[in-house]
mmCIF file of all heavy atoms in Angstrom:
data_model
loop_
_atom_site.group_PDB
_atom_site.id
_atom_site.type_symbol
_atom_site.label_atom_id
_atom_site.label_comp_id
_atom_site.label_asym_id
_atom_site.label_seq_id
_atom_site.Cartn_x
_atom_site.Cartn_y
_atom_site.Cartn_z
ATOM 1 N N THR A 240 -15.398 18.803 -15.833
ATOM 2 C CA THR A 240 -16.565 18.581 -16.675
ATOM 3 C C THR A 240 -16.091 17.959 -17.983
ATOM 4 O O THR A 240 -15.277 18.543 -18.693
ATOM 5 C CB THR A 240 -17.312 19.891 -16.973
ATOM 6 O OG1 THR A 240 -17.678 20.534 -15.748
ATOM 7 C CG2 THR A 240 -18.568 19.612 -17.779
ATOM 8 N N VAL A 241 -16.595 16.759 -18.257
ATOM 9 C CA VAL A 241 -16.278 16.074 -19.509
ATOM 10 C C VAL A 241 -17.392 16.406 -20.503
ATOM 11 O O VAL A 241 -18.566 16.129 -20.246
ATOM 12 C CB VAL A 241 -16.177 14.551 -19.298
ATOM 13 C CG1 VAL A 241 -15.888 13.841 -20.621
ATOM 14 C CG2 VAL A 241 -15.108 14.230 -18.260
ATOM 15 N N VAL A 242 -17.028 17.015 -21.639
ATOM 16 C CA VAL A 242 -18.013 17.462 -22.621
ATOM 17 C C VAL A 242 -17.799 16.699 -23.928
ATOM 18 O O VAL A 242 -16.697 16.712 -24.486
ATOM 19 C CB VAL A 242 -17.892 18.976 -22.882
ATOM 20 C CG1 VAL A 242 -18.914 19.434 -23.919
ATOM 21 C CG2 VAL A 242 -18.079 19.758 -21.584
ATOM 22 N N ALA A 243 -18.834 16.028 -24.411
ATOM 23 C CA ALA A 243 -18.767 15.353 -25.703
ATOM 24 C C ALA A 243 -18.744 16.405 -26.807
ATOM 25 O O ALA A 243 -19.624 17.273 -26.865
ATOM 26 C CB ALA A 243 -19.965 14.424 -25.879
ATOM 27 N N ALA A 244 -17.750 16.349 -27.676
ATOM 28 C CA ALA A 244 -17.588 17.394 -28.685
ATOM 29 C C ALA A 244 -18.709 17.397 -29.711
ATOM 30 O O ALA A 244 -19.041 18.456 -30.264
ATOM 31 C CB ALA A 244 -16.238 17.239 -29.385
ATOM 32 N N ASP A 245 -19.331 16.246 -29.973
ATOM 33 C CA ASP A 245 -20.397 16.209 -30.984
ATOM 34 C C ASP A 245 -21.719 16.727 -30.448
ATOM 35 O O ASP A 245 -22.354 17.599 -31.026
ATOM 36 C CB ASP A 245 -20.543 14.799 -31.562
ATOM 37 C CG ASP A 245 -20.736 13.721 -30.499
ATOM 38 O OD1 ASP A 245 -20.759 14.047 -29.287
ATOM 39 O OD2 ASP A 245 -20.879 12.537 -30.874
ATOM 40 N N SER A 246 -22.135 16.220 -29.298
ATOM 41 C CA SER A 246 -23.434 16.606 -28.730
ATOM 42 C C SER A 246 -23.331 17.766 -27.749
ATOM 43 O O SER A 246 -24.349 18.376 -27.394
ATOM 44 C CB SER A 246 -24.066 15.416 -28.017
ATOM 45 O OG SER A 246 -23.280 15.040 -26.879
ATOM 46 N N LEU A 247 -22.121 18.046 -27.272
ATOM 47 C CA LEU A 247 -21.863 19.058 -26.242
ATOM 48 C C LEU A 247 -22.592 18.745 -24.934
ATOM 49 O O LEU A 247 -22.914 19.646 -24.154
ATOM 50 C CB LEU A 247 -22.225 20.465 -26.731
ATOM 51 C CG LEU A 247 -21.390 20.974 -27.910
ATOM 52 C CD1 LEU A 247 -21.836 22.373 -28.314
ATOM 53 C CD2 LEU A 247 -19.899 20.989 -27.559
ATOM 54 N N SER A 248 -22.848 17.477 -24.687
ATOM 55 C CA SER A 248 -23.459 17.078 -23.422
ATOM 56 C C SER A 248 -22.379 17.000 -22.341
ATOM 57 O O SER A 248 -21.329 16.392 -22.547
ATOM 58 C CB SER A 248 -24.156 15.730 -23.573
ATOM 59 O OG SER A 248 -23.244 14.738 -24.008
ATOM 60 N N PRO A 249 -22.611 17.633 -21.169
ATOM 61 C CA PRO A 249 -21.608 17.648 -20.099
ATOM 62 C C PRO A 249 -21.825 16.526 -19.087
ATOM 63 O O PRO A 249 -22.957 16.072 -18.862
ATOM 64 C CB PRO A 249 -21.836 19.007 -19.445
ATOM 65 C CG PRO A 249 -23.304 19.261 -19.619
ATOM 66 C CD PRO A 249 -23.704 18.583 -20.902
ATOM 67 N N ARG A 250 -20.724 16.098 -18.496
ATOM 68 C CA ARG A 250 -20.778 15.080 -17.448
ATOM 69 C C ARG A 250 -19.749 15.461 -16.379
ATOM 70 O O ARG A 250 -18.593 15.719 -16.686
ATOM 71 C CB ARG A 250 -20.466 13.706 -18.049
ATOM 72 C CG ARG A 250 -20.336 12.568 -17.071
ATOM 73 C CD ARG A 250 -20.335 11.236 -17.824
ATOM 74 N NE ARG A 250 -19.382 11.209 -18.918
ATOM 75 C CZ ARG A 250 -18.113 10.818 -18.809
ATOM 76 N NH1 ARG A 250 -17.634 10.444 -17.623
ATOM 77 N NH2 ARG A 250 -17.325 10.787 -19.865
ATOM 78 N N ARG A 251 -20.182 15.489 -15.118
ATOM 79 C CA ARG A 251 -19.306 15.907 -14.023
ATOM 80 C C ARG A 251 -18.532 14.723 -13.452
ATOM 81 O O ARG A 251 -19.104 13.670 -13.180
ATOM 82 C CB ARG A 251 -20.113 16.563 -12.897
ATOM 83 C CG ARG A 251 -19.257 17.010 -11.719
ATOM 84 C CD ARG A 251 -20.109 17.618 -10.605
ATOM 85 N NE ARG A 251 -19.272 18.123 -9.517
ATOM 86 C CZ ARG A 251 -18.945 17.421 -8.431
ATOM 87 N NH1 ARG A 251 -19.379 16.167 -8.295
ATOM 88 N NH2 ARG A 251 -18.189 17.957 -7.484
ATOM 89 N N VAL A 252 -17.218 14.921 -13.276
ATOM 90 C CA VAL A 252 -16.378 13.933 -12.609
ATOM 91 C C VAL A 252 -15.695 14.628 -11.433
ATOM 92 O O VAL A 252 -14.906 15.565 -11.633
ATOM 93 C CB VAL A 252 -15.313 13.356 -13.567
ATOM 94 C CG1 VAL A 252 -14.379 12.410 -12.819
ATOM 95 C CG2 VAL A 252 -15.975 12.649 -14.744
ATOM 96 N N GLU A 253 -16.007 14.210 -10.218
ATOM 97 C CA GLU A 253 -15.371 14.809 -9.052
ATOM 98 C C GLU A 253 -13.907 14.378 -8.981
ATOM 99 O O GLU A 253 -13.581 13.209 -9.168
ATOM 100 C CB GLU A 253 -16.090 14.393 -7.775
ATOM 101 C CG GLU A 253 -15.515 15.046 -6.520
ATOM 102 C CD GLU A 253 -16.333 14.759 -5.270
ATOM 103 O OE1 GLU A 253 -17.384 15.405 -5.101
ATOM 104 O OE2 GLU A 253 -15.926 13.873 -4.503
ATOM 105 N N VAL A 254 -13.026 15.351 -8.712
ATOM 106 C CA VAL A 254 -11.599 15.069 -8.540
ATOM 107 C C VAL A 254 -11.171 15.755 -7.248
ATOM 108 O O VAL A 254 -10.877 16.948 -7.221
ATOM 109 C CB VAL A 254 -10.763 15.574 -9.724
ATOM 110 C CG1 VAL A 254 -9.310 15.114 -9.556
ATOM 111 C CG2 VAL A 254 -11.328 15.077 -11.049
ATOM 112 N N ALA A 255 -11.147 14.995 -6.163
ATOM 113 C CA ALA A 255 -10.899 15.557 -4.840
ATOM 114 C C ALA A 255 -10.136 14.548 -3.992
ATOM 115 O O ALA A 255 -10.700 13.938 -3.080
ATOM 116 C CB ALA A 255 -12.213 15.951 -4.167
ATOM 117 N N PRO A 256 -8.839 14.347 -4.249
ATOM 118 C CA PRO A 256 -8.082 13.336 -3.504
ATOM 119 C C PRO A 256 -7.938 13.640 -2.022
ATOM 120 O O PRO A 256 -7.594 12.747 -1.244
ATOM 121 C CB PRO A 256 -6.720 13.336 -4.205
ATOM 122 C CG PRO A 256 -6.638 14.644 -4.899
ATOM 123 C CD PRO A 256 -8.024 14.993 -5.283
ATOM 124 N N TYR A 257 -8.218 14.868 -1.606
ATOM 125 C CA TYR A 257 -8.211 15.228 -0.186
ATOM 126 C C TYR A 257 -9.620 15.420 0.357
ATOM 127 O O TYR A 257 -9.795 15.861 1.490
ATOM 128 C CB TYR A 257 -7.415 16.522 0.033
ATOM 129 C CG TYR A 257 -5.935 16.391 -0.222
ATOM 130 C CD1 TYR A 257 -5.417 16.683 -1.483
ATOM 131 C CD2 TYR A 257 -5.059 15.988 0.771
ATOM 132 C CE1 TYR A 257 -4.057 16.571 -1.726
ATOM 133 C CE2 TYR A 257 -3.690 15.876 0.541
ATOM 134 C CZ TYR A 257 -3.204 16.171 -0.718
ATOM 135 O OH TYR A 257 -1.849 16.059 -0.971
ATOM 136 N N GLY A 258 -10.635 15.147 -0.453
ATOM 137 C CA GLY A 258 -12.001 15.400 -0.053
ATOM 138 C C GLY A 258 -12.407 16.829 -0.369
ATOM 139 O O GLY A 258 -11.613 17.643 -0.847
ATOM 140 N N THR A 259 -13.636 17.159 -0.083
ATOM 141 C CA THR A 259 -14.172 18.484 -0.393
ATOM 142 C C THR A 259 -14.485 19.293 0.860
ATOM 143 O O THR A 259 -15.163 20.326 0.788
ATOM 144 C CB THR A 259 -15.449 18.363 -1.242
ATOM 145 O OG1 THR A 259 -16.444 17.657 -0.506
ATOM 146 C CG2 THR A 259 -15.170 17.628 -2.541
ATOM 147 N N GLU A 260 -13.995 18.849 1.990
ATOM 148 C CA GLU A 260 -14.257 19.571 3.242
ATOM 149 C C GLU A 260 -13.762 21.008 3.124
ATOM 150 O O GLU A 260 -12.672 21.271 2.635
ATOM 151 C CB GLU A 260 -13.547 18.880 4.401
ATOM 152 C CG GLU A 260 -13.797 19.541 5.765
ATOM 153 C CD GLU A 260 -13.037 18.863 6.889
ATOM 154 O OE1 GLU A 260 -12.413 17.814 6.626
ATOM 155 O OE2 GLU A 260 -13.064 19.395 8.010
ATOM 156 N N GLY A 261 -14.569 21.943 3.586
ATOM 157 C CA GLY A 261 -14.192 23.347 3.527
ATOM 158 C C GLY A 261 -14.754 24.091 2.344
ATOM 159 O O GLY A 261 -14.772 25.318 2.340
ATOM 160 N N GLY A 262 -15.206 23.369 1.320
ATOM 161 C CA GLY A 262 -15.815 24.030 0.165
ATOM 162 C C GLY A 262 -14.928 25.109 -0.418
ATOM 163 O O GLY A 262 -13.759 24.877 -0.718
ATOM 164 N N LEU A 263 -15.488 26.297 -0.575
ATOM 165 C CA LEU A 263 -14.725 27.409 -1.144
ATOM 166 C C LEU A 263 -13.529 27.789 -0.284
ATOM 167 O O LEU A 263 -12.591 28.421 -0.759
ATOM 168 C CB LEU A 263 -15.617 28.635 -1.345
ATOM 169 C CG LEU A 263 -16.697 28.511 -2.420
ATOM 170 C CD1 LEU A 263 -17.529 29.783 -2.477
ATOM 171 C CD2 LEU A 263 -16.099 28.208 -3.773
ATOM 172 N N GLY A 264 -13.541 27.413 0.995
ATOM 173 C CA GLY A 264 -12.426 27.732 1.876
ATOM 174 C C GLY A 264 -11.281 26.746 1.796
ATOM 175 O O GLY A 264 -10.268 26.925 2.460
ATOM 176 N N SER A 265 -11.414 25.708 0.983
ATOM 177 C CA SER A 265 -10.363 24.700 0.895
ATOM 178 C C SER A 265 -9.256 25.148 -0.056
ATOM 179 O O SER A 265 -9.509 25.794 -1.072
ATOM 180 C CB SER A 265 -10.942 23.377 0.394
ATOM 181 O OG SER A 265 -9.915 22.449 0.141
ATOM 182 N N TRP A 266 -8.029 24.760 0.270
ATOM 183 C CA TRP A 266 -6.892 25.008 -0.615
ATOM 184 C C TRP A 266 -6.628 23.811 -1.529
ATOM 185 O O TRP A 266 -5.831 23.911 -2.460
ATOM 186 C CB TRP A 266 -5.629 25.270 0.210
ATOM 187 C CG TRP A 266 -5.718 26.478 1.069
ATOM 188 C CD1 TRP A 266 -5.977 26.524 2.412
ATOM 189 C CD2 TRP A 266 -5.572 27.844 0.656
ATOM 190 N NE1 TRP A 266 -6.007 27.820 2.844
ATOM 191 C CE2 TRP A 266 -5.762 28.650 1.786
ATOM 192 C CE3 TRP A 266 -5.325 28.444 -0.585
ATOM 193 C CZ2 TRP A 266 -5.685 30.036 1.737
ATOM 194 C CZ3 TRP A 266 -5.243 29.826 -0.627
ATOM 195 C CH2 TRP A 266 -5.422 30.610 0.520
ATOM 196 N N LEU A 267 -7.264 22.701 -1.257
ATOM 197 C CA LEU A 267 -6.870 21.432 -1.869
ATOM 198 C C LEU A 267 -7.761 21.102 -3.059
ATOM 199 O O LEU A 267 -8.464 20.101 -3.095
ATOM 200 C CB LEU A 267 -6.916 20.326 -0.814
ATOM 201 C CG LEU A 267 -6.150 20.656 0.482
ATOM 202 C CD1 LEU A 267 -6.324 19.564 1.511
ATOM 203 C CD2 LEU A 267 -4.679 20.908 0.183
ATOM 204 N N LYS A 268 -7.724 21.970 -4.053
ATOM 205 C CA LYS A 268 -8.603 21.874 -5.217
ATOM 206 C C LYS A 268 -7.788 21.633 -6.483
ATOM 207 O O LYS A 268 -6.593 21.905 -6.529
ATOM 208 C CB LYS A 268 -9.383 23.182 -5.377
ATOM 209 C CG LYS A 268 -10.208 23.598 -4.171
ATOM 210 C CD LYS A 268 -10.760 24.998 -4.399
ATOM 211 C CE LYS A 268 -11.504 25.522 -3.190
ATOM 212 N NZ LYS A 268 -11.908 26.924 -3.355
ATOM 213 N N PRO A 269 -8.444 21.160 -7.543
ATOM 214 C CA PRO A 269 -7.739 21.018 -8.820
ATOM 215 C C PRO A 269 -7.480 22.367 -9.474
ATOM 216 O O PRO A 269 -8.274 23.299 -9.315
ATOM 217 C CB PRO A 269 -8.709 20.183 -9.659
ATOM 218 C CG PRO A 269 -10.056 20.490 -9.092
ATOM 219 C CD PRO A 269 -9.843 20.715 -7.619
ATOM 220 N N HIS A 270 -6.376 22.464 -10.183
ATOM 221 C CA HIS A 270 -6.035 23.700 -10.883
ATOM 222 C C HIS A 270 -5.911 23.482 -12.393
ATOM 223 O O HIS A 270 -6.664 24.035 -13.172
ATOM 224 C CB HIS A 270 -4.738 24.288 -10.326
ATOM 225 C CG HIS A 270 -4.847 24.800 -8.941
ATOM 226 N ND1 HIS A 270 -4.746 23.988 -7.829
ATOM 227 C CD2 HIS A 270 -5.059 26.047 -8.460
ATOM 228 C CE1 HIS A 270 -4.887 24.720 -6.725
ATOM 229 N NE2 HIS A 270 -5.084 25.968 -7.079
ATOM 230 N N TYR A 271 -4.922 22.687 -12.782
ATOM 231 C CA TYR A 271 -4.680 22.440 -14.203
ATOM 232 C C TYR A 271 -4.549 20.934 -14.430
ATOM 233 O O TYR A 271 -4.194 20.180 -13.519
ATOM 234 C CB TYR A 271 -3.390 23.123 -14.663
ATOM 235 C CG TYR A 271 -3.391 24.621 -14.533
ATOM 236 C CD1 TYR A 271 -3.043 25.244 -13.329
ATOM 237 C CD2 TYR A 271 -3.712 25.431 -15.621
ATOM 238 C CE1 TYR A 271 -3.029 26.627 -13.207
ATOM 239 C CE2 TYR A 271 -3.689 26.821 -15.507
ATOM 240 C CZ TYR A 271 -3.351 27.414 -14.301
ATOM 241 O OH TYR A 271 -3.330 28.780 -14.184
ATOM 242 N N ALA A 272 -4.813 20.526 -15.663
ATOM 243 C CA ALA A 272 -4.722 19.116 -16.037
ATOM 244 C C ALA A 272 -3.901 18.973 -17.305
ATOM 245 O O ALA A 272 -3.679 19.933 -18.043
ATOM 246 C CB ALA A 272 -6.116 18.525 -16.243
ATOM 247 N N ALA A 273 -3.452 17.744 -17.567
ATOM 248 C CA ALA A 273 -2.799 17.405 -18.828
ATOM 249 C C ALA A 273 -3.331 16.055 -19.284
ATOM 250 O O ALA A 273 -3.642 15.188 -18.460
ATOM 251 C CB ALA A 273 -1.281 17.350 -18.656
ATOM 252 N N VAL A 274 -3.454 15.879 -20.597
ATOM 253 C CA VAL A 274 -3.942 14.617 -21.159
ATOM 254 C C VAL A 274 -2.729 13.728 -21.454
ATOM 255 O O VAL A 274 -1.866 14.089 -22.252
ATOM 256 C CB VAL A 274 -4.755 14.852 -22.441
ATOM 257 C CG1 VAL A 274 -5.234 13.527 -23.018
ATOM 258 C CG2 VAL A 274 -5.941 15.771 -22.168
ATOM 259 N N ARG A 275 -2.684 12.557 -20.821
ATOM 260 C CA ARG A 275 -1.541 11.668 -21.025
ATOM 261 C C ARG A 275 -1.591 11.062 -22.426
ATOM 262 O O ARG A 275 -2.593 10.454 -22.812
ATOM 263 C CB ARG A 275 -1.549 10.570 -19.959
ATOM 264 C CG ARG A 275 -0.295 9.710 -19.981
ATOM 265 C CD ARG A 275 -0.067 9.018 -18.657
ATOM 266 N NE ARG A 275 -1.113 8.060 -18.313
ATOM 267 C CZ ARG A 275 -1.177 7.441 -17.122
ATOM 268 N NH1 ARG A 275 -0.260 7.697 -16.198
ATOM 269 N NH2 ARG A 275 -2.140 6.584 -16.863
ATOM 270 N N PRO A 276 -0.515 11.205 -23.196
ATOM 271 C CA PRO A 276 -0.549 10.734 -24.584
ATOM 272 C C PRO A 276 -0.768 9.236 -24.724
ATOM 273 O O PRO A 276 -1.406 8.785 -25.684
ATOM 274 C CB PRO A 276 0.834 11.141 -25.128
ATOM 275 C CG PRO A 276 1.290 12.246 -24.251
ATOM 276 C CD PRO A 276 0.729 11.946 -22.894
ATOM 277 N N SER A 277 -0.280 8.453 -23.793
ATOM 278 C CA SER A 277 -0.315 7.001 -23.949
ATOM 279 C C SER A 277 -1.712 6.407 -23.863
ATOM 280 O O SER A 277 -2.024 5.425 -24.547
ATOM 281 C CB SER A 277 0.581 6.336 -22.903
ATOM 282 O OG SER A 277 0.126 6.639 -21.588
ATOM 283 N N ASP A 278 -2.589 6.995 -23.026
ATOM 284 C CA ASP A 278 -3.906 6.387 -22.821
ATOM 285 C C ASP A 278 -5.055 7.385 -22.705
ATOM 286 O O ASP A 278 -6.200 6.982 -22.493
ATOM 287 C CB ASP A 278 -3.888 5.494 -21.576
ATOM 288 C CG ASP A 278 -3.504 6.253 -20.306
ATOM 289 O OD1 ASP A 278 -3.384 7.493 -20.351
ATOM 290 O OD2 ASP A 278 -3.299 5.589 -19.267
ATOM 291 N N GLY A 279 -4.774 8.694 -22.836
ATOM 292 C CA GLY A 279 -5.834 9.689 -22.790
ATOM 293 C C GLY A 279 -6.352 10.010 -21.409
ATOM 294 O O GLY A 279 -7.328 10.763 -21.267
ATOM 295 N N LYS A 280 -5.719 9.462 -20.374
ATOM 296 C CA LYS A 280 -6.159 9.797 -19.017
ATOM 297 C C LYS A 280 -5.693 11.190 -18.626
ATOM 298 O O LYS A 280 -4.700 11.711 -19.164
ATOM 299 C CB LYS A 280 -5.654 8.746 -18.023
ATOM 300 C CG LYS A 280 -6.315 7.389 -18.216
ATOM 301 C CD LYS A 280 -5.859 6.373 -17.176
ATOM 302 C CE LYS A 280 -6.578 5.037 -17.383
ATOM 303 N NZ LYS A 280 -6.150 4.021 -16.388
ATOM 304 N N LEU A 281 -6.419 11.793 -17.675
ATOM 305 C CA LEU A 281 -6.108 13.140 -17.216
ATOM 306 C C LEU A 281 -5.187 13.072 -16.010
ATOM 307 O O LEU A 281 -5.425 12.298 -15.075
ATOM 308 C CB LEU A 281 -7.386 13.884 -16.845
ATOM 309 C CG LEU A 281 -8.476 13.958 -17.915
ATOM 310 C CD1 LEU A 281 -9.668 14.738 -17.383
ATOM 311 C CD2 LEU A 281 -7.947 14.582 -19.184
ATOM 312 N N LEU A 282 -4.167 13.929 -16.019
ATOM 313 C CA LEU A 282 -3.206 14.004 -14.922
ATOM 314 C C LEU A 282 -3.396 15.327 -14.208
ATOM 315 O O LEU A 282 -3.239 16.394 -14.805
ATOM 316 C CB LEU A 282 -1.779 13.886 -15.464
ATOM 317 C CG LEU A 282 -1.495 12.670 -16.354
ATOM 318 C CD1 LEU A 282 -0.058 12.731 -16.877
ATOM 319 C CD2 LEU A 282 -1.754 11.369 -15.611
#
Side-chain angles (χ1 to χ4, degrees):
T240 304
V241 178
V242 179
D245 53 0
S246 65
L247 296 180
S248 58
R250 174 168 51 90
R251 179 182 184 267
V252 176
E253 183 173 282
V254 186
Y257 292 92
T259 62
E260 182 182 354
L263 292 178
S265 172
W266 298 101
L267 309 176
K268 303 172 184 174
H270 292 83
Y271 298 85
V274 179
R275 188 158 64 187
S277 61
D278 59 7
K280 292 183 178 180
L281 305 180
L282 307 177

